[in-house]
Amino acid sequence: MKFITLEIVMRISVKHLLVFTLLWSCAISQATNYYVDVNLGADSNSGLTPLTAWQNLSKVNSFPFAPGDSILFKKSNVWNGMLSIDYSGTSSLPITYSAYGVGNKPTIHGQGQVEQVIFIRNSTSYITVDGFAVTNFDGQDVYDGVEGIRSGIHTGEWSYEQFGIKILNNEVYFIEGCSNHTDVGSPRGTTLDPNDYNQYQNAGIFCHASKIDGLLIQGNYVHDCSSTGINVFLFEEAKNVLVRQNSVYNLGSDGIVILNGLSPVFELNACISAGNNSGTVTPGPGVIGFNGLAVAGIWSHCSTAPLFQYNYCEGTKRIVWDGQPWDFDILTTGDAIYQYNFSRDNEGGFNLGGLPNQVFRYNISYNDGTAQGGGQYFFNGEPNYYNNIFYRDDGEGFMMSDFESQKFENNIFHTTATNNITYEGDSRTFDNNCYSGHTPSSPGDNAILSNPIFVNEVTPGKILPGVLFNKEDLLKIAFGYQIHTSSPCIDAGLSITNNGSQDFWENNLYNNAADIGANENHPEAVKADFCQATQQPELDGIDELFWNK
């Protein structure tokens, strides 16, 4: 009887499997490639082959695509207007907008006439946008135009939840959007209400859904935009957000920012020259923003437990306030972490905010803080700082807050400043830190007042705009700030629990007792050679003419 039952079950299972396979095959067979060619296509064509391609965005915008479809735009072609994405894929069969052929990325130019060039509308989900050049300015020069709400790639708008959005490998440039802050005034050249028209209402890549589950923004180069580079601005907490290996450069507002994220991850991103904004002063040559107040490089607000790691931030401007590379801003809660990041030449200092349970660890800061002061410090907020390197060879030091509770352990402070710097105070505690190049006041317990002896104390390298760097690139540009085997920092630090398990160069923690600085010395570890990521990116679209502007 048992064998008969098993045989019946097997027959039923095989029958169901055949039905499932047939349904799955039908679903796959329904997935269709559609082609768009602005020069040789025609909207009366079927669109099913490169030889029968469609021509215009209006045809694409009005067609009811199905899950699994791919809409392929011919490379080196240029369309004017807006690409509107209105139909959803599924988790297994997303709808993909991409490219075919040879040459530069297909370009879509909003000409400053649309609020967004590629618009993934409200409840649309499971969409991939991959490999476009996107621009949106209204004249011959992005530096001179009137500003309004303009974005490059925009997903969601206030209502509905979105799922499975991927924005990959695009070049977004000359987005002439709002760069003004609400407290300063209207966008340049307008009398628009700054409460509705401001830097937080647009971006090169702008996510503005009510909430989202599954957002991947990766491999994009966003540059020369008067607005923010990448802005994930949600009304409810977003889940499964990964912003990875993007480059943002020359922005009138912030670099990369998230509002309302639940454990979002930001890694391997480069932010260079954010806040290129005149404030309320008439902009000079090359200044892309206007009526700005305060920006930061890569940061969060109203988010829970964000993780920022292996990012590079350079040259953030202090317009009136701020100007730091990093910031746990207002209502960032939970176990928020910045780790393994490299910053240099950011005007405002190192960090703007944070709570006592939030952490900065194994980061390297080089010559940040040239515009610190005036009520703003090198370290702001109340997070814990341990095993970082704060290095300045520009004759300036580190301004400490007298009213924010901060804890510093196992850090290296190097500066050539001649004035005394008071470290430990009523609200600040310092333990097991190393100080070099200067005479510190109140250095705290177990201080090391000598040269940490770095492997090679050279000027660190740079990541150039448009370079989508990897982890090895970041480790190499800072290779000289590993400690030598003769360093007094070896085994001189405090052991810290939940320490992330590795140092900046991916050495395991700890080798004997804890070391001071961003490097846990392992004599057998191979030290990387110096390099800097200097390969100029391949530029697509019309912006090649503007690379050296």
Side-chain angles (χ1 to χ4, degrees), residues 58-365:
S58 57
K59 178 67 175 182
V60 177
N61 293 344
S62 63
F63 194 85
F65 295 107
D69 287 350
S70 293
I71 302 89
L72 305 175
F73 290 72
K74 190 171 184 180
K75 290 185 175 181
S76 295
N77 282 201
V78 178
W79 288 262
N80 295 325
M82 180 178 72
L83 171 61
S84 178
I85 298 174
D86 297 85
Y87 294 92
S88 293
T90 66
S91 58
S92 58
L93 293 170
I95 296 176
T96 299
Y97 291 76
S98 191
Y100 76 99
V102 296
N104 295 330
K105 292 180 174 68
T107 298
I108 303 181
H109 193 339
Q111 298 184 308
Q113 302 301 308
V114 297
E115 289 193 0
Q116 48 273 317
V117 181
I118 297 179
F119 190 14
I120 307 171
R121 290 185 179 273
N122 291 339
S123 58
T124 307
S125 292
Y126 301 111
I127 298 295
T128 298
V129 174
D130 185 353
F132 288 87
V134 177
T135 186
N136 196 7
F137 67 105
D138 57 9
Q140 296 301 310
D141 189 345
V142 72
Y143 294 91
D144 67 359
V146 173
E147 296 174 2
I149 290 179
R150 299 192 188 101
S151 295
I153 301 173
H154 180 167
T155 179
E157 187 179 29
W158 292 49
S159 58
Y160 301 102
E161 181 174 9
Q162 293 187 304
F163 300 88
I165 303 298
K166 296 181 180 180
I167 301 172
L168 312 174
N169 309 313
N170 303 284
E171 182 184 355
V172 182
Y173 60 98
F174 293 2
I175 305 302
E176 197 172 44
C178 296
S179 56
N180 60 298
H181 191 277
T182 55
D183 292 344
V184 177
S186 299
R188 174 172 51 185
T190 75
T191 57
L192 296 170
D193 184 349
N195 292 312
D196 297 322
Y197 295 83
N198 60 66
Q199 68 188 76
Y200 303 113
Q201 307 305 318
N202 51 197
I205 297 176
F206 191 38
C207 181
H208 203 43
S210 175
K211 58 181 178 179
I212 197 165
D213 188 348
L215 174 65
L216 175 62
I217 301 175
Q218 178 171 307
N220 302 283
Y221 179 30
V222 183
H223 63 95
D224 299 295
C225 301
S226 59
S227 59
T228 297
I230 298 173
N231 188 356
V232 182
F233 193 114
L234 284 301
F235 294 86
E236 300 178 50
E237 276 195 326
K239 296 184 290 185
N240 298 307
V241 173
L242 175 59
V243 180
R244 186 176 192 274
Q245 207 170 33
N246 303 281
S247 176
V248 299
Y249 166 65
N250 192 28
L251 309 166
S253 186
D254 297 284
I256 301 174
V257 59
I258 185 169
L259 179 144
N260 268 333
L262 177 61
S263 302
V265 176
F266 293 74
E267 63 181 16
L268 294 169
N269 300 290
C271 173
I272 304 169
S273 297
N276 184 8
N277 190 304
S278 66
T280 57
V281 179
T282 301
V287 176
I288 201 165
F290 187 68
N291 269 7
L293 180 68
V295 306
I298 304 175
W299 60 285
S300 65
H301 58 148
C302 300
S303 294
T304 303
L307 173 63
F308 299 88
Q309 60 183 6
Y310 299 108
N311 299 291
Y312 174 89
C313 191
E314 176 192 346
T316 306
K317 307 296 184 183
R318 180 178 177 181
I319 303 169
V320 179
W321 295 103
D322 301 356
Q324 295 82 7
W326 324 120
D327 176 22
F328 294 130
D329 210 278
I330 299 169
L331 297 180
T332 294
T333 60
D335 295 328
I337 298 172
Y338 278 93
Q339 61 183 9
Y340 320 128
N341 301 289
F342 184 92
S343 61
R344 61 173 297 161
D345 307 307
N346 298 279
E347 291 183 352
F350 179 72
N351 167 52
L352 183 59
L355 300 175
N357 62 306
Q358 296 167 350
V359 169
F360 285 82
R361 64 189 180 198
Y362 294 97
N363 303 287
I364 299 175
S365 165

Side-chain angles (χ1 to χ4, degrees), residues 476-493:
K476 287 180 179 180
I477 65 171
F479 95 101
Y481 295 101
Q482 298 170 96
I483 53 175
H484 193 271
T485 54
S486 60
S487 172
C489 294
I490 294 175
D491 296 339

